[in-house]
Amino acid sequence: MTTSHHATGPKRSAPKVILITGASSGIGQQSALDLIREGHIVYGAARRVEAMAPLIEAGGHTLALDVTEDASMVAAVQQVIEAEGRIDVLINNAGYATYGAVEDIPMETGRRQLEVNIMGLARMTQLVLPHMRAQQAGRILNISSIGGTIHTPLGAWYHGTKFFVEGFTNALRLEVEDKGIQMVLIAPGLIDTGFSEVLTKELTRNEKEPAYKPLYDGLRNADAQAQSAPGTVSKAISKAISARHPKTIYRAGKYANLLYVLRRLLPHRVFDKMVLSMVK
Ligand SMILES: NC(=O)c1ccc[n+]([C@@H]2O[C@H](COP(=O)([O-])OP(=O)(O)OC[C@H]3O[C@@H](n4cnc5c(N)ncnc54)[C@H](OP(=O)(O)O)[C@@H]3O)[C@@H](O)[C@H]2O)c1
């Protein structure tokens, strides 16, 4: 790896070495650019390396990474360690949503969803932990979703992955906090990124059984106005990195807090009815 060429943007905290997955688009790309501007040493990682050119232009670094390939994950972490000697922050952001009726989704499609959103995040975490433990410092931000608290029809596989992210992150906090490592959840609401396009493609590809057609149609027509800009999440990520004592979870985007509160307050069946009324 070549010598770092650090950006000289405004600094909110001492520069940190940050590895962020899924930096070729959406939340990951916006956050990588904002963190570079804040003066951090940022390594963006994704499969589409060419789509991360803006990071290089801004003074950051890019790495090829497929979170379904073990060798690729090992190599990415190794490259950052070789170049910088440390990793202060890992942001596990790579992810997508496969939507469709449970009856319709082939097991192979479901398995791939788990590989990216769960196994990739868990392996990247496992790979950075020994370095952070040796440093006696580090922070891991796992991008969950409001979908890690609430549930929508046709989203069983996706919600399952985000509920995993929440449980995994909270449990791991109890293992590593006394070693100087902080585990933080970031829970975005609906954000205007490449996410909806991927979700819609998955929905169309998976749709088979006519009995679920009203739900498929309802989701396709869901209100796009509910989306927030990726900068909303990027701000929460910056806060989670610069705070001396980060919160355990940062919710970001329109309705994220409201939906969380409703989910906690409303009886299960009432909440179910409310969600169904939004998509039918
Ligand atoms: N947008 C929302 O409404 C929303 C809401 C809540 C949570 N989230 C979460 O936010 C995270 C980022 O999503 P986004 O909204 O920014 O979507 P996006 O624009 O589609 O970006 C997804 C990123 O994940 C990367 N990725 C996908 N599969 C990968 C793989 N196998 N290996 C490495 N990288 C992979 C993609 O890069 P490559 O394709 O180049 O590899 C891309 O950079 C996801 O975890 C998502 O679940 C999004």
Side-chain angles (χ1 to χ4, degrees), residues 21 47 65-69 72-73 94 115-116 119-121 124:
T21 70
R47 290 169 303 175
L65 173 72
D66 186 334
V67 297
T68 65
E69 300 284 342
S72 171
M73 291 189 275
E115 280 294 328
V116 175
M119 299 310 287
L121 171 141
M124 289 300 292

Side-chain angles (χ1 to χ4, degrees), residues 191-210:
I191 310 296
D192 186 8
T193 65
F195 184 85
S196 328
E197 200 186 313
V198 173
L199 189 155
T200 307
K201 263 192 209 149
E202 290 278 318
L203 199 65
T204 305
R205 189 163 65 97
N206 291 327
E207 182 170 6
K208 285 175 210 82
E209 172 51 56

Side-chain angles (χ1 to χ4, degrees), residues 4 16 46 123 154 157 174 178 206 221 237 239:
S4 313
K16 295 190 163 64
R123 180 62 170 144
L154 308 191
W157 282 97
L174 306 181
D178 65 350
N206 291 327
N221 299 329
I237 288 177
K239 268 195 209 159

Side-chain angles (χ1 to χ4, degrees), residues 20-26 28-29 44-52 55 93:
I20 175 164
T21 70
S24 62
S25 171
Q29 178 142 103
R47 290 169 303 175
R48 287 169 295 164
V49 177
E50 67 293 343
M52 294 188 287
L55 271 63
N93 164 74

